[in-house]
Amino acid sequence: MSSDKNSITSQQNLTAAGSRIQKTYEFEDFRLDVPSLMLYKGGGTVALKPKAVETLVALLDRAGEVVSKEELMGRLWGDSFVEESNLTQNIYLLRKCLGNCPDGQPFIENFARRGYRFNGKLRSPAAIQIVLATHTETKTVVEEESFRASPARPIWVVPTAAVAAVLGALVFALSQFNAPGNSSSAKQSAGAFEKFTLKRHSDSNDVTNGVISHDGKFIAHMRARSAMWLKNTGTEDAIEILPPSDTILRSVISFSPDDNYIYFFNTAEDKKPKLARVSVVGGTVERMNVGDAWSGASLSPDGSQLAFIRRHETSRQVLIIANTDGSGEHEAVINEEGEWLGLWSHSTSWSPDGKRIAVAGGTTTNGKAVSDIKIFNASDGARISTIPSGPDWRWIDAVLWLPGGDELLAIAGDNTSQGQIYKHTISTGEWRRVTNDLSNYVSLSVTADGKTVVTVQHENPGNLWLLPSDGDVSRAKQITSGRNLMTDVTGVSWTPDGSIVYATNSGSGWEIRMIDPDGGNQKELTRNCAGNESCNQPVVSPDGRYIVFQARREGVPHIWRMEADGGNPTQLTVGGGFAPSITPDGRFVIFTWYSPGEKFWRIPIEGGTAEEFSQMTSVGNISLSPDGKQMAFDYFDETAKEQFQTCVAAVGAAAPDKCFGISRSFPRWAPDGKAFYYLDHSYLGIWKQRLDGERKMFLEFPGERTNNFAFSPDGKHIAVARSKPTQDIVALTDER
């Protein structure tokens, strides 16, 4: 694509100039504000990712002309390695959002093997101000009031040669500003990773995490079955340092400061990670007496200490600091009431001078959870500051301190996207998005010079498939298409008349949809999640009248109910709630809430006051047996060898009757009430667990991930959300 990109450089400069000059575009009832990349319809905001809006700007700059895919890819992503499917997804979202022109033409028209064209009728602003960097004088260009964009009539119609000269001067100035050899001042003022190249360093699709050496010459990473590999970034050669294992789990932490050793967590039969290290040339594994880490860990700059999060015996979280030789372990920080430290993420990072530790976590106030990054003094655990998260962030999964000391990277997810990389500048208090695509990034590490960051790029698009209830995978039929995100928590359910209700994120945000078993009659039941930030976990009532679901508003999850056609969405809970289930008689919704300690509550499906359903704590994801007398649920028992379990108990019991060392997703009861189906942690397939103890694999798709499932009411079919995830090492290299 590089040669194609070079051939359109002049056109890109021209369209870039147009984007800078044209502050707004208006057509029909839409208004696009270019500087803020915000699209408005009527009086409201249209929920689109920034890169999708940039795609629209590129088409508006050339309205009426066919813009090639190569030109769009070059303009939107430059030299970055990005699949063409990202552009296709942006176009899909825009066409879905904009619809058709009044004359029936689509606003965005696709020309096979050529590109895309914007067909709308633009209304120009009354005046557009152009300020040249070399002039103090402000020029004003007055355009025609309204015109139809077409190949014969370009967007910019200027009345005088003088104004045309001004435009030419501006284009020339911009091209000179961006030309090699004339951009030193821009590079000096630019922050880290404002422009970068992205390079893939693996193609095995099974990388779990990885780190780059301080000198940038090697990448250590874990692959399937915890095999440790070492890759030479210069030669692209890779060797296996530690072999795969079926009994040991490993997670790489960091290279030693001299890059001679690789530190990692080693988890064996006791299920508690312990610190270990191995030479970069392989050999004997050295084990240190540091462990029981619940989060990822970070190594101090001098390699002498380790920082990680551990779950406290009081169910709180603790920042642990220990010497890497196993001595000096102590509890540096215990989370305060209403706050949390990242227990499941790569949540710690040392400052370059080794004096501070950044910890990803958050604060809950009145049921609203807000993520943040807390900075602690490494010597005594005193809190120095708290960095609030970006707008609409739901979580922070990783934090990394860049070598300069004034900038942090974080992986976070908002209400529409998965884990993306963001940068925070401490001195200005500003967040800036670094990546902007449909991938999910996991883990962060950086070279000593701060020029290259390594992360894992995770892709997991999936679709719904229909199978006979006996689990015969050879008869599986795909019923949805496109790029959908369906995980264990998004939810799948059936209506009594045989339609399938499910939640998915296709790139523009979460929505709840309905589809026939043959793939026809697909429709959205929610619009902007009924006014919420996100929505998922739909459950259809036994009589088919209602669909109950979980939705997040202002950071707080609640239980909602809507009619089967999506009408009359109604919030049921006031204090919060998640993971809904409906009793077999259809009268009550059972859900989980922090009360504290994660208990089951219930509320009438017609609305009313919520009340405790069970005294048990540390529970979630309940499912009632067909006769309504038993419940299967997720349960956490920190005293057990297998702490995350699925348990069964009589409704109203104060403790589990029987537990199984398995837990991942919502259990589904067999019609006879003597067994249930579930997904385990590996997502390899669907298991059947009999209450008498027999366990067997019910169905699996080799090489794929089974994300969710639901049996039809007549017992003849099963709907399965499946995907083929890819996980590979990628490196972001700063171009400053």
Side-chain angles (χ1 to χ4, degrees):
M1 189 177 70
S2 59
S3 60
D4 294 333
K5 185 165 65 68
N6 291 335
S7 67
I8 59 172
T9 300
S10 60
Q11 181 62 55
Q12 285 182 331
N13 287 338
L14 178 58
T15 53
S19 297
R20 287 176 173 83
I21 300 169
Q22 183 88 347
K23 300 299 182 183
T24 61
Y25 282 110
E26 295 183 4
F27 53 96
E28 298 305 326
D29 53 350
F30 291 96
R31 178 171 63 86
L32 174 62
D33 183 71
V34 177
S36 65
L37 290 178
M38 294 295 294
L39 180 65
Y40 302 91
K41 183 177 182 181
T45 303
V46 180
L48 281 174
K49 298 171 71 171
K51 193 61 74 172
V53 182
E54 289 182 31
T55 306
L56 180 57
V57 172
L59 293 173
L60 290 173
D61 283 347
R62 300 271 304 282
E65 300 179 36
V66 177
V67 186
S68 70
K69 293 180 180 180
E70 290 78 10
E71 180 174 341
L72 289 171
M73 292 288 290
R75 172 167 174 174
L76 295 170
W77 288 284
D79 294 328
S80 299
F81 178 83
V82 173
E83 299 290 345
E84 190 176 295
S85 59
N86 288 280
L87 173 61
T88 305
Q89 180 67 20
N90 286 346
I91 295 294
Y92 167 78
L93 296 175
L94 290 173
R95 296 185 70 176
K96 177 182 175 183
C97 167
L98 300 178
N100 294 332
C101 303
D103 61 6
Q105 270 192 306
F107 272 113
I108 298 177
E109 188 173 359
N110 178 25
F111 292 84
R113 295 183 297 276
R114 291 182 58 197
Y116 305 95
R117 183 178 72 191
F118 181 82
N119 292 322
K121 183 178 181 180
L122 297 176
R123 294 190 303 275
S124 62
I128 299 167
Q129 293 190 332
I130 305 171
V131 181
L132 293 177
T134 54
H135 292 264
T136 57
E137 178 182 85
T138 299
K139 309 280 186 181
T140 301
V141 178
V142 181
E143 294 185 27
E144 291 186 352
E145 294 180 357
S146 180
F147 55 89
R148 175 78 179 198
S150 67
R153 190 167 209 176
I155 293 177
W156 291 99
V157 181
V158 292
T160 66
V163 173
V166 171
L167 283 174
L170 177 58
V171 172
F172 177 79
L174 288 170
S175 64
Q176 291 299 302
F177 183 79
N178 291 318
N182 293 308
S183 56
S184 58
S185 60
K187 288 185 177 180
Q188 290 173 359
S189 62
F193 296 97
E194 291 189 10
K195 187 177 181 182
F196 61 90
T197 57
L198 189 148
K199 181 179 180 180
R200 190 180 303 275
H201 279 283
S202 68
D203 55 8
S204 59
N205 297 333
D206 61 357
V207 176
T208 55
N209 73 321
V211 295
I212 191 167
S213 61
H214 297 85
D215 61 12
K217 295 180 180 179
F218 296 97
I219 297 174
H221 57 284
M222 296 298 183
R223 290 178 52 182
R225 299 170 55 213
S226 293
M228 181 186 291
W229 286 75
L230 186 71
K231 171 135 189 198
N232 186 314
T233 59
T235 65
E236 299 295 318
D237 294 327
I239 60 171
E240 186 179 89
I241 297 295
L242 294 176
S245 173
D246 293 323
T247 59
I248 298 175
L249 297 176
R250 305 184 185 107
S251 176
V252 66
I253 297 171
S254 175
F255 281 83
S256 60
D258 59 9
D259 287 334
N260 289 329
Y261 290 90
I262 303 166
Y263 283 89
F264 63 100
F265 275 135
N266 194 84
T267 305
E269 291 184 357
D270 63 359
K271 305 299 181 182
K272 294 185 177 182
K274 289 183 172 60
L275 181 65
R277 74 174 188 175
V278 65
S279 170
V280 294
V281 297
T284 303
V285 172
E286 300 178 55
R287 291 176 174 83
M288 291 79 167
N289 189 28
V290 180
D292 194 17
W294 287 58
S295 73
S298 58
L299 201 65
S300 62
D302 63 4
S304 65
Q305 292 181 298
L306 197 73
F308 56 89
I309 307 299
R310 180 184 293 162
R311 189 176 188 270
H312 195 268
E313 58 185 6
T314 60
S315 298
R316 299 172 78 172
Q317 301 94 50
V318 185
L319 171 63
I320 301 293
I321 298 178
N323 297 329
T324 52
D325 63 6
S327 65
E329 180 180 305
H330 64 282
E331 297 180 348
V333 177
I334 299 179
N335 69 300
E336 298 181 4
E337 191 69 31
E339 297 184 339
W340 79 87
L341 308 179
L343 202 60
W344 309 109
S345 60
H346 295 266
S347 53
T348 65
S349 181
W350 294 77
S351 63
D353 59 10
K355 296 180 179 180
R356 295 160 291 167
I357 300 176
V359 180
T363 303
T364 301
T365 305
N366 297 324
K368 180 179 181 179
V370 179
S371 57
D372 57 36
I373 296 173
K374 301 174 180 67
I375 309 296
F376 299 103
N377 193 327
S379 62
D380 58 10
R383 184 181 303 190
I384 299 172
S385 61
T386 299
I387 301 172
S389 67
D392 301 324
W393 286 12
R394 294 186 296 115
W395 46 265
I396 299 177
D397 184 66
V399 62
L400 175 70
W401 217 310
L402 293 180
D406 190 40
E407 295 174 314
L408 294 166
L409 292 183
I411 295 177
D414 59 21
N415 295 314
T416 60
S417 67
Q418 302 184 73
Q420 294 287 298
I421 301 175
Y422 296 81
K423 184 189 71 176
H424 178 76
T425 304
I426 297 175
S427 58
T428 64
E430 296 178 341
W431 282 104
R432 178 183 176 276
R433 188 163 179 164
V434 176
T435 59
N436 194 356
D437 53 40
L438 300 178
S439 299
N440 182 34
Y441 293 94
V442 180
S443 78
L444 295 166
S445 73
V446 65
T447 53
D449 60 8
K451 298 292 271 184
T452 301
V453 167
V454 155
T455 181
V456 176
Q457 189 180 54
H458 185 191
E459 301 271 3
N460 189 36
N463 278 289
L464 279 178
W465 293 70
L466 190 72
L467 291 77
S469 58
D470 62 4
D472 184 357
V473 297
S474 67
R475 298 168 60 190
K477 177 184 177 182
Q478 184 173 339
I479 59 175
T480 64
S481 60
R483 186 186 178 93
N484 296 290
L485 177 64
M486 302 176 188
T487 70
D488 54 323
V489 297
T490 54
V492 179
S493 187
W494 288 76
T495 64
D497 60 0
S499 294
I500 302 170
V501 177
Y502 65 100
T504 183
N505 185 335
S506 59
S508 59
W510 295 101
E511 296 293 351
I512 296 175
R513 300 176 182 176
M514 180 183 289
I515 193 170
D516 288 345
D518 62 1
N521 198 29
Q522 182 174 205
K523 58 183 177 181
E524 286 192 354
L525 299 179
T526 59
R527 182 170 179 81
N528 295 327
C529 283
N532 293 285
E533 299 154 3
S534 63
C535 54
N536 52 26
Q537 301 179 7
V539 183
V540 183
S541 62
D543 60 6
R545 180 181 177 187
Y546 294 126
I547 298 173
V548 174
F549 60 97
Q550 169 190 314
R552 183 177 295 270
R553 176 169 291 195
E554 295 182 350
V556 182
H558 290 283
I559 304 301
W560 283 65
R561 181 203 72 206
M562 63 182 172
E563 295 174 2
D565 62 358
N568 194 27
T570 303
Q571 182 177 327
L572 292 179
T573 60
V574 176
F578 55 91
S581 180
I582 302 177
T583 56
D585 61 11
R587 295 177 55 203
F588 293 95
V589 178
I590 314 297
F591 62 95
T592 310
W593 187 236
Y594 308 106
S595 47
E598 294 181 356
K599 291 183 179 180
F600 291 133
W601 289 66
R602 78 172 188 176
I603 193 169
I605 198 168
E606 297 291 347
T609 302
E611 60 183 5
E612 278 192 8
F613 183 69
S614 170
Q615 289 294 316
M616 283 188 286
T617 60
S618 299
V619 295
N621 298 334
I622 189 172
S623 176
L624 297 185
S625 61
D627 61 7
K629 295 181 180 181
Q630 297 185 91
M631 54 185 184
F633 51 92
D634 292 351
Y635 182 68
F636 175 75
D637 182 359
E638 62 183 353
T639 65
K641 182 178 179 180
E642 297 283 355
Q643 296 177 325
F644 294 94
Q645 304 178 348
T646 296
C647 298
V648 175
V651 169
D657 293 335
K658 183 181 293 186
C659 290
F660 308 91
I662 49 175
S663 179
R664 184 67 238 176
S665 188
F666 307 100
R668 317 282 191 184
W669 282 88
D672 61 6
K674 296 181 180 180
F676 60 85
Y677 300 84
Y678 71 95
L679 304 177
D680 70 1
H681 279 282
S682 63
Y683 295 100
L684 292 179
I686 300 174
W687 291 82
K688 183 177 182 179
Q689 175 70 57
R690 292 185 58 84
L691 300 187
D692 61 14
E694 182 186 5
R695 171 181 180 260
K696 65 178 182 180
M697 177 69 77
F698 173 65
L699 69 83
E700 64 177 323
F701 298 95
E704 295 192 25
R705 172 172 169 153
T706 305
N707 298 300
N708 215 310
F709 67 99
F711 288 92
S712 61
D714 62 9
K716 295 181 179 180
H717 297 94
I718 179 173
V720 177
R722 53 187 277 211
S723 61
K724 192 170 184 178
T726 61
Q727 299 177 147
D728 281 300
I729 286 284
V730 295
L732 284 65
T733 300
D734 193 349
E735 291 192 351
R736 287 182 300 170

